[in-house]
Every structure is written in structure tokens, then in C-alpha cells.
């Protein structure tokens, strides 16, 4: 039986305060929320998602003034970024306080925090009056949910409530950075284009090897964000897998006549529009009974960086 759905933030807040698990709409993707300061609620999040304990959760705040509830020694650069980009799709990894259970941070001495840009969920945060730990509301490693319906299908029988706030506006997960002095380490490209961060940091470093990424950002696992159907990266002109039922994922343009199904993300080739519909399109292709999905990489700029990151991980599964 699937969890009930509501549009009432007060009902969602009451459920969270009582230790429940609530799927919450954000501008990026739907999150699976629990009281971040209640280790039992946090443990239930890992259990529901079958998420490994080494993968830390992002903590959601109602606004900047809540930072001191979970973080300490917040640097001037981190404060400037929070002021400029919150609410919004930017997660800051900061030194944590002892109020945050180890389970939330996988034992790290840092915590990932952000203020989500969705009116219903911010109202839930204010009413519940507690920071909310919320990874994406999907089983570990699978496609992220961008509608309440996706959550119901993938996780509905394991959670207490779904707050329906419509389709997610941005459509890919937040950009995650660790702030170190006046430089930023990019841990995950996401809904805030890296170009937007450039004016704020002297240096933006991007870890290149999996070993560099692993200890601090397991969301960067090489295999992640995957539909059940195998995904392959494919460019026009490359060999077509004959005799297979193939679906295509394209930014713009038209389907190859050999494709059994095709999703075009933006007729005009706009990356913002493409990101908003990206996971939805993969969910639809995944339901078509295909042998494989051929995905054409995006231009490596703006939200295209995050989209290529998700494609590469989907293709690694
Ligand atoms: P998800 O909410 O499923 O998109 O994943 C959250 C991701 O945030 C994790 O997989 C990590 O990559 C990242 N994260 C959360 N907290 C930390 C932290 N303290 N240090 C580094 N990365 C973090
Ligand atoms: Mg996730």
C-alpha cells in the first residue's frame, strides 16, 4: 500500500515531528525527509532507501539563520554563498556541530546543508522547526524522482507520507561544494551552474579520480542515478546496435528512424528546460520495455555539466 498524499504542509510537519518519513518537493528533486536531529528517523531513511551508511545526507534548513543549529566556524565565503544562492540548488559542506548525529554525516566532521527553494517545503521546515535530512526519495542508485507520482511508485510502500508539490522546477540534484578558505572544491555538479560560482571563489577545484571523491562524496559513486534499462552514451554517426529495441534521449533534434522510442528534452536546445525534464524522460523511457537507451551527451556548459555527470553514472551501471 502506498503512503497517503497531501498538499498540506502542516500535516507533513506533524508527521516529521512525530519521527515519520515524508517525501518533500524541492526545486531540484523530491527528497525523503526525516528530522535530522533524531537518529531513529535518520536510520529509517537509510533503511527505506537501502542506502549504504557511508553515504552522508544533506540537511535542509528553513533559512540561513538556522546555520548555527548544525554548522560551526562558517567562513565568510560560505556566508556570502548562502546569502547569494539560498534558497536554491547549492549545498555547502561545512564543519558540523555535535548536534548532528553521526549517521547523518557518515561520521565525517562536516555536514552538507542547503535551503531548498520550494514554498511548501520551506513552510514544513518552519512549522516542524527542525533541520530535515533528505536524500533523494528513490531507492539507492536509481533514477531520482521529480514528481510525487515517481515517489509513490518507487518508495511509496516504505514511507509515511508524500507531500505533493507538483513537478520539480530545476530537475537535477543540487551542486555540492566544500568551502576551504577562499577556494571551493566541487563535489558534485548540479542545479546551480559552476559558472555562477566562479565570481565568488579564487579557485574551484574538481576532484578527478574516484579515490579523491570517495571519502567525502559517495553521491559521486561511479554508478548512480540509473534507470533499469541499460544506458549507453551515443553520438550521431556512431554504430547503431542492430536487432535491439533502442530508445533515444536527445537534447534537441529528431529521433533516428531506427529508434523504437525517443525523448527530446528541449526543441530549442535549452539546457535549463532539458534539466527540468531529464529524469522524467528517463522514467518514461524506462517504462517502454527497451533493450537499451542511447543518450547523446550534452554541451559541457551550464546545466549540461550536471546532466553529463548523471548520464555518465547512469551508463556505468
Ligand atoms: P543525495 O541527497 O542522495 O543527492 O546525496 C547527498 C550527497 O551529498 C551525498 O551522496 C554526498 O555526495 C553529499 N554529501 C552530503 N554530506 C556531505 C559531507 N559532509 N561531505 C561531503 N559530501 C556530502
Ligand atoms: Mg540521490
Amino acid at each position: 500500500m502506498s503512503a497517503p498524499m497531501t498538499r498540506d504542509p502542516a500535516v507533513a510537519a506533524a508527521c516529521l515531528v512525530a519521527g515519520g518519513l515524508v517525501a518533500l518537493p524541492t526545486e531540484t528533486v523530491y527528497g525523503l525527509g526525516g528530522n535530522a536531529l533524531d537518529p531513529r528517523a535518520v536510520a529509517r531513511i537509510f533503511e527505506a532507501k537501502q542506502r549504504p551508511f557511508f553515504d552522508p545526507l544533506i540537511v535542509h534548513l528553513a533559512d540561513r539563520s538556522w546555520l548555527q543549529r548544525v554548522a560551526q566556524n562558517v567562513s565568510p565565503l560560505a556566508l556570502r554563498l548562502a546569502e547569494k544562492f539560498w534558497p536554491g540548488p547549492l549545498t555547502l559542506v561545512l564543519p558540523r556541530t555535535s548536534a548532528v548525529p553521526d549517521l547523518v554525516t557518515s561520521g565525517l566532521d562536516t555536514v552538507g546543508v542547503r535551503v531548498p527553494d520550494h514554498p511548501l517545503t520551506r513552510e514544513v521546515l518552519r512549522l516542524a522547526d527542525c533541520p530535515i535530512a533528505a536524500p533523494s526519495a528513490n531507492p539507492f542508485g536509481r533514477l531520482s524522482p521529480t514528481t510525487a507520482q515517481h515517489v509513490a511508485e518507487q518508495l511509496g510502500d516504505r514511507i509515511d507520507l508524500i507531500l505533493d508539490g507538483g513537478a520539480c522546477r530545476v530537475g537535477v540534484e543540487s551542486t555540492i561544494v566544500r568551502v576551504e578558505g577562499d577556494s571551493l572544491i566541487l563535489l558534485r555538479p548540479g542545479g546551480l551552474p559552476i559558472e555562477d560560482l566562479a565570481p565568488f571563489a579564487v579557485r574551484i577545484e574538481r576532484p578527478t579520480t574516484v579515490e579523491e571523491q570517495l571519502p567525502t562524496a559517495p553521491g559521486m559513486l561511479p554508478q548512480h542515478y540509473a534507470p533499469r534499462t541499460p544506458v549507453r552514451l551515443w553520438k550521431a554517426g556512431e554504430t547503431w546496435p542492430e536487432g535491439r529495441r533502442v530508445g533515444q534521449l536527445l537534447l534537441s533534434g529528431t529521433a533516428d528512424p531506427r529508434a523504437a522510442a525517443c525523448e527530446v528534452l528541449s526543441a530549442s536546445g535549452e539546457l535549463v528546460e532539458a534539466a527540468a525534464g531529464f529524469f522524467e524522460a528517463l522514467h518514461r523511457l524506462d517504462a517502454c520495455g527497451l533493450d537499451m537507451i542511447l543518450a547523446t551527451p550534452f554541451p559541457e556548459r551550464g546545466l549540461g555539466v550536471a546532466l553529463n555527470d548523471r548520464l555518465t553514472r547512469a551508463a556505468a551501471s
Side-chain angles (χ1 to χ4, degrees), residues 185-259:
I185 319 271
L186 179 68
L187 299 177
R188 175 176 74 185
L192 184 75
I194 305 160
E195 292 93 325
D196 292 10
L197 290 171
F200 289 84
V202 173
R203 270 176 331 133
I204 300 177
E205 294 170 28
R206 187 168 183 181
T208 45
T209 67
V210 172
E211 290 71 29
E212 271 181 293
Q213 293 169 4
L214 266 186
T216 50
M220 303 290 285
L221 284 174
Q223 306 181 2
H224 215 77
Y225 310 107
R228 288 175 202 285
T229 315
V231 174
R232 267 179 40 194
L233 302 183
W234 182 87
K235 289 187 192 129
E238 287 179 4
T239 317
W240 188 269
E242 298 295 341
R244 316 290 303 276
R245 242 178 93 73
V246 171
Q248 255 191 308
L249 181 71
L250 294 174
L251 171 59
S252 56
T254 47
D256 188 289
R258 293 164 291 189

Side-chain angles (χ1 to χ4, degrees), residues 38-297:
D38 173 356
R40 276 182 55 102
V42 175
R44 286 190 60 209
I45 295 177
F46 282 92
E47 184 185 66
K49 278 186 62 99
Q50 300 189 316
R51 180 175 175 113
F53 286 120
F54 61 74
D55 196 0
L57 306 181
I58 293 171
V59 174
H60 294 72
L61 311 174
D63 60 60
R64 231 174 334 129
S65 73
W66 283 25
L67 263 175
Q68 79 248 21
R69 297 193 189 194
V70 293
Q72 58 188 339
N73 303 328
V74 180
S75 70
L77 174 56
L79 282 177
R80 281 206 302 283
L81 293 172
E83 200 171 325
K84 170 78 181 172
F85 295 111
W86 287 356
L90 177 67
T91 296
L92 298 174
V93 172
L94 303 170
R96 67 156 164 149
T97 65
S98 57
V100 184
D102 277 336
L103 204 46
V104 170
T105 68
S106 309
L108 298 169
D109 53 10
T110 53
V111 61
V113 287
R114 81 179 190 99
V115 176
D117 189 10
H118 194 291
L120 283 187
T121 291
R122 285 186 80 199
E123 184 62 11
V124 171
L125 281 156
R126 279 189 288 267
L127 293 171
D129 195 26
C130 63
I132 292 175
S136 49
N138 53 337
F140 182 72
R142 308 234 60 105
L143 280 181
S144 296
T146 54
T147 64
Q149 204 50 44
H150 292 158
V151 179
E153 285 158 15
Q154 290 191 306
L155 220 54
D157 55 347
R158 300 193 216 156
I159 64 180
D160 299 311
L161 187 67
I162 299 171
L163 180 63
D164 184 357
C168 300
R169 178 173 57 79
V170 174
V172 286
E173 296 80 355
S174 60
T175 299
I176 306 179
V177 293
R178 194 167 68 231
V179 187
E180 278 184 11
D182 52 11
S183 58
L184 297 177
I185 319 271
L186 179 68
L187 299 177
R188 175 176 74 185
L192 184 75
I194 305 160
E195 292 93 325
D196 292 10
L197 290 171
F200 289 84
V202 173
R203 270 176 331 133
I204 300 177
E205 294 170 28
R206 187 168 183 181
T208 45
T209 67
V210 172
E211 290 71 29
E212 271 181 293
Q213 293 169 4
L214 266 186
T216 50
M220 303 290 285
L221 284 174
Q223 306 181 2
H224 215 77
Y225 310 107
R228 288 175 202 285
T229 315
V231 174
R232 267 179 40 194
L233 302 183
W234 182 87
K235 289 187 192 129
E238 287 179 4
T239 317
W240 188 269
E242 298 295 341
R244 316 290 303 276
R245 242 178 93 73
V246 171
Q248 255 191 308
L249 181 71
L250 294 174
L251 171 59
S252 56
T254 47
D256 188 289
R258 293 164 291 189
C262 181
E263 292 282 342
V264 177
L265 294 172
S266 168
S268 54
E270 279 166 50
L271 291 165
V272 170
E273 184 185 9
F278 176 74
F279 282 119
E280 174 88 55
L282 280 172
H283 278 284
R284 274 196 300 269
L285 286 173
D286 211 15
C288 287
L290 301 163
D291 295 322
M292 73 175 71
I293 297 167
L294 296 186
T296 304

